[in-house]
């Protein structure tokens, strides 16, 4: 980790809250809103989130599983996300969410007419905007945590 964390401080809380409270708290609220206000199905949400986590390499994000009223994706889901092109574990929307996440993170200049035709056939405009904002949150904040080394010292919350 490249940021010095005072003894007894929780790393993400300290960096995001204490070091840059005006920015960090707004970022944290945006990040939490992605989970609190999503209308996307759990599988498509997690496929997109995990694909971004895989690309970012954020250890915390890779270990995290979104919980919706006690429901989480199966243990093998992350492996299916890696194989999103060929897995039989995904329906069309879930596969498309993983593809969008990958292209958003790695090749956003080449989101072509053919891609958008498939997206608009599967997702409403509201869902596309929501998914895009979610991707932006995960890409930015997962990468921030990875670059600063916060992902190696964070502890998953227990429910």
């Amino acid at each position: 980790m490249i940021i010095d964390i005072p003894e007894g401080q929780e790393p993400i809380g300290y960096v995001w809250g204490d070091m840059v409270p005006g920015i960090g708290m707004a970022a944290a609220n945006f990040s939490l809103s992605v989970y609190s206000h999503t209308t996307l199905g759990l599988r498509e949400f997690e496929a997109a989130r995990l694909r971004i986590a895989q690309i970012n390499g954020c250890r915390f994000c890779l270990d995290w599983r979104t919980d919706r009223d006690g429901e989480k994706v199966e243990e093998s889901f992350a492996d299916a996300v890696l194989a999103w092109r060929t897995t039989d574990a995904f329906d069309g929307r879930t596969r498309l969410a993983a593809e969008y996440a990958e292209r958003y993170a790695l090749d956003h200049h080449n989101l072509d007419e053919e891609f958008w035709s498939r997206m608009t056939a599967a997702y409403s405009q509201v869902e596309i905007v929501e998914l895009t904002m979610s991707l932006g949150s995960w890409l930015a904040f997962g990468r921030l945590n990875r670059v600063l080394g916060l992902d190696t010292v964070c502890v998953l919350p227990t429910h």
Side-chain angles (χ1 to χ4, degrees), residues 10-149:
E10 188 278 317
I12 285 188
Y14 176 75
V15 171
W16 287 50
D18 294 340
M19 292 185 82
V20 291
I23 299 169
M25 293 313 297
N29 286 332
F30 175 45
S31 181
L32 291 172
S33 291
V34 165
Y35 293 89
S36 300
H37 301 291
T38 187
T39 63
L40 299 169
L42 179 60
R43 292 181 68 76
E44 58 213 32
F45 184 89
E46 279 292 272
R49 189 196 63 73
L50 273 166
R51 190 64 197 118
I52 294 291
Q54 291 164 347
I55 291 165
N56 280 344
C58 176
R59 293 178 183 145
F60 179 83
C61 304
L62 287 165
D63 289 342
W64 175 265
R65 294 298 178 271
T66 301
D67 184 325
R68 292 210 188 138
D69 301 321
E71 182 182 345
K72 293 182 181 184
V73 294
E74 64 274 12
E75 285 295 317
S76 61
F77 194 82
D79 291 333
V81 171
L82 279 173
W84 64 263
R85 288 172 182 83
T86 59
T87 184
D88 60 1
F90 288 176
D91 64 15
R93 280 175 57 103
T94 304
R95 186 179 319 281
L96 198 51
E99 178 184 356
Y100 186 29
E102 182 173 301
R103 292 180 72 171
Y104 181 94
L106 299 175
D107 196 24
H108 65 284
H109 290 287
N110 289 311
L111 292 168
D112 56 16
E113 195 172 312
E114 182 276 331
F115 172 79
W116 287 117
S117 178
R118 290 186 292 120
M119 276 298 285
T120 58
Y123 287 91
S124 72
Q125 289 187 351
V126 169
E127 290 172 321
I128 291 170
V129 171
E130 179 182 330
L131 182 54
T132 304
M133 287 187 172
S134 296
L135 292 171
S137 170
W138 299 322
L139 185 65
F141 303 136
R143 197 161 288 183
L144 177 148
N145 288 335
R146 179 67 185 137
V147 166
L148 296 180

